[in-house]
Amino acid sequence: SSGINAEWPLRPGSVLDPKHEISFSRGPTLEQIVVEDEEYEFMEDESHSASKEVERLEDSVMADVPKSGIIERITESRHERHKKAVDDLHEELGLLSKSFDPQVHNTLELSSEQMLTLTGEVKLLYAGIESLLPTFPLKQLDSLWDNTIRLLQKRATIIDLLRDKLDMIEVDRSEQISELLKTY
């Protein structure tokens, strides 16, 4: 025999070896199959062991890198800026309140004086009516009553004006507070 196995048929893809001998591709040899199985088992074992290693890892991973503290510094800086802004806002609100206090005080004082004057006049009318009631003619009593009603209506007007002035002061104050808050 000339190096050609006649029992084996020629297959497509058979090639000449570099020595110009004819060799035939016969499929994998037993040795190739065993090596491939071992490689597969090795790959399977390696994959299995890698998954086991991953399973053993802790859920939270802490880096071994020392902390730079940047997050803490940023947080602290923000906290300090916030505290300063709150302190500044508190101070400005205090100044705003102090600027409105005199207006409120003056309005209340003026209204209080007017109310005291009217109350004094009403008391005089009642005292006059009580002392003269038995001998007072009905027409004069009617006139005194009309004066009393007029004084009480004047008092109601003073109260309404006071309410309106205080409302205007409050609207002005709230607008200034709103503008102040827009700057923060």
Side-chain angles (χ1 to χ4, degrees):
S1 316
S2 63
I4 299 177
N5 189 346
E7 296 175 13
W8 293 57
L10 290 176
R11 293 187 193 194
S14 63
V15 294
L16 292 175
D17 66 6
K19 298 179 184 177
H20 300 287
E21 293 184 19
I22 298 176
S23 64
F24 300 97
S25 174
R26 292 185 259 161
T29 64
L30 182 59
E31 184 179 308
Q32 290 173 334
I33 292 173
V34 169
V35 168
E36 286 178 7
D37 280 347
E38 286 175 358
E39 286 176 1
Y40 178 76
E41 286 175 9
F42 175 74
M43 287 176 24
E44 190 176 79
D45 288 343
E46 189 176 307
S47 170
H48 182 70
S49 66
S51 68
K52 289 292 185 185
E53 283 183 40
V54 169
E55 287 175 5
R56 282 185 267 146
L57 291 176
E58 293 181 27
D59 287 338
S60 61
V61 178
M62 299 300 286
D64 291 339
V65 179
K67 292 183 179 182
S68 67
I70 188 73
I71 293 175
E72 290 82 9
R73 288 192 308 253
I74 290 172
T75 303
E76 182 64 29
S77 173
R78 285 181 180 170
H79 179 71
E80 287 173 14
R81 283 192 316 240
H82 174 75
K83 187 176 183 316
K84 184 180 179 335
V86 168
D87 289 344
D88 291 348
L89 177 63
H90 183 72
E91 184 179 333
E92 289 186 44
L93 286 172
L95 292 173
L96 189 65
S97 178
K98 285 181 182 178
S99 72
F100 280 98
D101 284 348
Q103 288 179 337
V104 172
H105 178 71
N106 292 340
T107 302
L108 290 174
E109 194 172 298
L110 178 63
S111 297
S112 177
E113 289 172 6
Q114 291 172 340
M115 294 294 282
L116 285 174
T117 303
L118 283 175
T119 302
E121 290 179 28
V122 170
K123 283 183 180 179
L124 282 174
L125 281 175
Y126 282 146
I129 292 172
E130 284 180 2
S131 66
L132 300 174
L133 190 60
T135 60
F136 224 63
L138 190 55
K139 282 201 175 228
Q140 287 182 333
L141 187 58
D142 209 19
S143 174
L144 281 174
W145 187 251
D146 288 339
N147 285 339
T148 304
I149 290 174
R150 183 186 53 76
L151 289 173
L152 292 175
Q153 287 173 339
K154 194 173 183 181
R155 184 173 133 186
T157 302
I158 291 171
I159 291 171
D160 288 341
L161 289 174
L162 173 64
R163 183 180 305 117
D164 291 343
K165 284 181 185 177
L166 291 175
D167 284 345
M168 286 177 15
I169 291 171
E170 181 61 24
V171 166
D172 189 30
R173 185 179 74 87
S174 65
E175 287 173 356
Q176 288 188 18
I177 288 172
S178 177
E179 288 302 314
L180 177 66
L181 290 176
K182 286 179 185 177
T183 62
Y184 286 92

